[in-house]
């Protein structure tokens, strides 16, 4: 897969060198420019995935440069670097569409998650999500939405029906079924395709931070709010906002989101001035929202607002002949990405893959195929190249004792939280599970964040965020 490209425009050689050291090849490509004019020329020629731009440049204002970059391609995020006393200027720029800003001096731990988030945003907006009716693209620069079964044909028809209509879309499906790719396809086939596209994982951000992320906050609104922040609803004006895992949003946040959808306006946290917004909402969840409405964890009125049009994605186990089609496609695509020779799949290998239950759906399939190709020592994929789990003898697969052990440990942990009178039991348990899960995956991948995020099935910005929240370090 092509490394993401960051363009850094700054006349401070230390900043340029720091970014090259913090974002090393081959995981990243860093382009540098010391003047606005040079940076704009590089931008026109290379179309990087994101830009880091200083506000004080020798030949013109960084704000003017950022504005010109947005005129060329407003889908590419621009992060502004500000000096002391210039944050208000950067905030004004954010109101006009900049992605975010960072104040000098800054630490790598502060700016790297922001850069990763910008690169992820750019990928989702610009990497084509190709439908069967589109011209095929056999490169790593596109995600093809595959399928011939009746359920997938209906998904393609639904995308075609709703993409050009300015209505909210609710995308339902199990984890790993491709909800993000469908959201991108809707955006890219809509009349807002040349405007900004941002995505928020509602389950990955704590409630107090999620409110600020969506609506922004005023200076002094809460402890640590030392500057005004512009939220995604303000940045995405005239564009599209994808709310992933909407079913995990807290009741308080559901109420605030409902108001925005109803009134097309919001207030920053700590603010009193209504701000108008014109944002198209795409939402996705793996939860059964009708059951959640029944148990009171999801608002019915918000459901009806989001449910102006619904697309349901089938799990892999219900897709029949689509499975060998996807297996062939991903082997060919990932072989090109990884520089591996690939000719065919042995019948026994195909049978083993087709018989697998695939609880993680398409995302799990992609991970298995990548592991298989990395292990493969020849152009024909034989069963020996499959991951160890495919060679396990079910008769010797001892799951009951270990299952019993972890369930007992979990029950004791819940009982402890109950006895302590905790009102955040769900969050506490998820944190404990993530500590063990992320720690083990980081050990297995030797601290490689790109590989770890792929194995976990989450984005690199989400992984960085969880590491910081949980106090974990890379191995």
């Amino acid at each position: 897969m092509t490394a993401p490209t960051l363009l850094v425009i700054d006349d401070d050689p230390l900043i340029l060198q720091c970014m090259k050291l913090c974002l090393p090849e081959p995981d990243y490509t860093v382009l540098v420019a010391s003047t606005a004019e040079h940076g704009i020329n590089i931008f026109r020629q290379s179309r990087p995935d994101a830009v880091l731009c200083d506000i004080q440049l020798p030949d013109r204002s960084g704000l003017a440069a950022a504005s010109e970059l947005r005129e060329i391609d407003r889908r590419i995020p621009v992060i502004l670097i500000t000096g002391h006393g210039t944050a208000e200027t950067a905030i004004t720029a954010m109101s006009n569409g900049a992605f975010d800003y960072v104040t000098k001096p800054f630490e790598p731990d502060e700016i790297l998650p922001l850069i990763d988030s910008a690169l992820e945003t750019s990928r989702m907006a610009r990497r084509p999500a190709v439908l069967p009716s589109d011209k095929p693209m056999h490169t790593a620069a596109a995600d093809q939405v595959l399928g011939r079964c009746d359920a997938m044909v209906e998904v393609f028809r639904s995308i075609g029906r709703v993409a050009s209509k300015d209505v909210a879309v609710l995308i339902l499906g199990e984890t790993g079924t491709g909800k993000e790719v469908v959201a991108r396809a809707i955006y890219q086939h809509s009349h807002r395709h040349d405007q900004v596209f941002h995505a928020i994982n509602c389950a990955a951000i704590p409630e107090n931070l999620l409110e600020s992320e969506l609506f922004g906050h005023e200076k002094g609104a809460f402890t640590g709010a030392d500057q005004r922040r512009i939220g995604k609803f303000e940045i995405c004006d005239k564009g599209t906002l994808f709310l992933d895992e909407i079913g995990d949003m807290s009741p308080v946040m559901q109420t605030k989101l409902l108001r925005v959808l109803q009134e097309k306006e919001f207030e920053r946290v700590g603010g009193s001035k209504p701000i108008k917004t014109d944002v198209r909402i795409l939402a996705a969840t793996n939860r059964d929202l009708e059951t959640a409405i029944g148990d009171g964890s999801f608002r019915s009125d918000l459901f009806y607002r989001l449910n102006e049009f619904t697309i349901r994605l089938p799990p892999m186990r219900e897709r029949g002949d689509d499975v060998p089609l996807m297996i062939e496609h991903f082997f060919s695509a990932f072989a090109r990405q990884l520089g591996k020779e690939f000719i065919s799949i042995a019948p026994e290998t195909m049978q083993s893959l087709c018989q697998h239950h695939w609880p993680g759906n398409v995302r799990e399939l992609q991970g298995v195929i990548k592991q298989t190709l990395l292990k493969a020592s020849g152009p024909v994929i034989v069963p020996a190249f499959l991951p160890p789990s495919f060679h396990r003898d079910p008769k010797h697969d001892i799951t009951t004792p270990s299952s019993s052990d972890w369930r007992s440990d979990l029950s004791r942990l819940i009982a402890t939280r109950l006895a302590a009178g905790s009102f955040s039991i769900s969050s506490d348990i998820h944190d404990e599970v993530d500590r063990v899960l992320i720690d083990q995956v980081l050990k297995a991948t030797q601290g490689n964040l790109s590989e770890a995020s792929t194995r976990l099935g989450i984005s690199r910005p989400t992984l960085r965020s969880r590491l910081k929240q949980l106090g974990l370090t890379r191995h």
Side-chain angles (χ1 to χ4, degrees):
M1 186 177 294
T2 305
T5 301
L6 175 72
L7 169 60
V8 185
I9 308 175
D10 200 309
D11 61 340
D12 185 343
L14 289 177
I15 295 291
L16 302 180
Q17 186 64 23
C18 175
M19 287 300 99
K20 284 196 168 186
L21 290 173
C22 291
L23 302 168
E25 296 181 341
D27 290 337
Y28 300 88
T29 298
V30 178
L31 307 175
V32 298
S34 57
T35 66
E37 191 65 33
H38 186 202
I40 291 168
N41 288 336
I42 293 176
F43 186 93
R44 288 183 188 277
Q45 295 167 8
S46 302
R47 295 301 170 96
D49 296 295
V51 179
L52 188 63
C53 182
D54 193 10
I55 282 185
Q56 301 294 332
L57 294 170
D59 55 336
R60 78 179 77 169
S61 161
L63 295 179
S67 178
E68 188 166 342
L69 295 178
R70 279 181 50 77
E71 287 298 318
I72 298 170
D73 193 336
R74 63 184 58 245
R75 299 171 302 166
I76 299 178
V78 178
I79 301 170
L80 295 165
I81 305 174
T82 81
H84 292 296
T86 59
E88 283 300 321
T89 308
I91 290 166
T92 300
M94 285 186 64
S95 299
N96 294 323
F99 182 79
D100 214 324
Y101 71 94
V102 62
T103 305
K104 292 181 180 179
F106 52 79
E107 296 293 329
D109 286 346
E110 177 187 1
I111 197 168
L112 290 181
L114 191 58
I115 290 171
D116 274 341
S117 180
L119 292 171
E120 179 72 4
T121 297
S122 180
R123 178 194 70 81
M124 295 183 72
R126 299 170 65 215
R127 179 166 172 162
V130 183
L131 302 178
S133 58
D134 297 331
K135 183 180 179 181
M137 298 181 68
H138 302 289
T139 71
D143 287 328
Q144 289 191 258
V145 188
L146 302 170
R148 297 172 181 164
C149 68
D150 291 345
M152 286 306 296
V153 169
E154 182 56 34
V155 168
F156 303 143
R157 286 175 180 156
S158 296
I159 294 172
R161 291 188 195 108
V162 78
S164 62
K165 309 296 189 296
D166 218 6
V167 298
V169 181
L170 183 60
I171 307 167
L172 304 176
E174 295 180 6
T175 297
T177 48
K179 297 186 290 295
E180 177 210 300
V181 181
V182 168
R184 284 163 46 204
I186 293 170
Y187 157 72
Q188 290 166 3
H189 287 76
S190 74
H191 70 272
R192 298 181 186 236
H193 67 276
D194 58 347
Q195 300 293 328
V196 294
F197 176 90
H198 281 247
I200 295 285
N201 187 322
C202 301
I205 305 175
E207 179 182 343
N208 60 324
L209 298 181
L210 180 60
E211 183 176 8
S212 176
E213 191 72 24
L214 290 174
F215 308 121
H217 63 250
E218 297 291 351
K219 182 177 180 179
F222 50 83
T223 303
D226 54 354
Q227 296 289 346
R228 176 188 292 167
R229 178 178 177 81
I230 305 301
K232 292 296 187 286
F233 270 101
E234 200 164 345
I235 294 172
C236 286
D237 189 38
K238 305 295 189 298
T240 303
L241 182 58
F242 175 43
L243 300 176
D244 201 4
E245 305 299 351
I246 190 77
D248 293 282
M249 185 177 278
S250 72
V252 172
M253 284 303 301
Q254 290 176 36
T255 301
K256 294 177 182 292
L257 176 60
L258 178 63
R259 185 201 166 197
V260 179
L261 297 180
Q262 289 176 332
E263 302 178 15
K264 307 296 183 184
E265 67 178 29
F266 63 94
E267 296 167 2
R268 300 190 191 107
V269 179
S272 57
K273 178 183 176 182
I275 300 170
K276 294 289 184 182
T277 186
D278 173 18
V279 175
R280 184 183 190 181
I281 295 294
L282 308 178
T285 183
N286 58 13
R287 292 189 63 194
D288 183 340
L289 292 187
E290 293 182 357
T291 299
I293 291 170
D295 63 28
S297 61
F298 201 84
R299 294 184 61 122
S300 59
D301 45 5
L302 177 59
F303 173 75
Y304 297 130
R305 278 284 175 180
L306 294 171
N307 195 30
E308 292 180 330
F309 193 92
T310 299
I311 297 177
R312 297 180 185 272
L313 290 176
M316 275 187 60
R317 62 183 176 274
E318 296 177 6
R319 294 185 57 178
D321 292 341
D322 281 356
V323 176
L325 171 72
M326 288 188 286
I327 291 171
E328 290 277 3
H329 168 78
F330 288 127
F331 265 114
S332 296
F334 293 146
R336 286 191 295 272
Q337 285 184 17
L338 300 172
K340 303 283 287 189
E341 186 180 4
F342 168 69
I343 293 177
S344 65
I345 305 168
E348 299 85 357
T349 308
M350 180 63 83
Q351 181 180 13
S352 182
L353 290 169
C354 287
Q355 289 177 345
H356 188 66
H357 188 60
W358 300 113
N361 293 294
V362 180
R363 189 179 297 151
E364 181 188 359
L365 172 64
Q366 292 173 332
V368 165
I369 289 176
K370 285 182 180 178
Q371 292 178 56
T372 301
L373 283 167
L374 289 170
K375 187 178 179 182
S377 56
V380 178
I381 307 300
V382 298
F385 299 154
L386 292 171
S389 58
F390 282 80
H391 307 297
R392 190 178 296 138
D393 186 343
K395 291 182 291 186
H396 299 96
D397 189 8
I398 304 173
T399 58
T400 305
S402 61
S403 174
S404 175
D405 288 345
W406 73 257
R407 288 181 186 277
S408 297
D409 291 342
L410 184 59
S411 295
R412 283 194 293 271
L413 181 59
I414 294 171
T416 301
R417 294 292 193 273
L418 285 169
S422 173
F423 288 94
S424 59
I425 295 175
S426 177
S427 176
D428 294 344
I429 299 303
H430 279 92
D431 285 351
E432 292 296 333
V433 171
D434 275 0
R435 280 192 182 92
V436 176
L437 171 63
I438 294 174
D439 186 63
Q440 286 194 218
V441 173
L442 285 172
K443 286 178 180 176
T445 58
Q446 299 180 323
N448 186 311
L449 290 185
S450 295
E451 185 180 352
S453 62
T454 299
R455 297 291 297 275
L456 287 164
I458 60 179
S459 68
R460 198 161 42 201
T462 298
L463 176 56
R464 284 193 189 275
S465 175
R466 287 302 282 160
L467 285 171
K468 187 174 182 179
Q469 292 166 11
L470 300 171
L472 294 173
T473 58
R474 297 169 61 177
H475 294 268

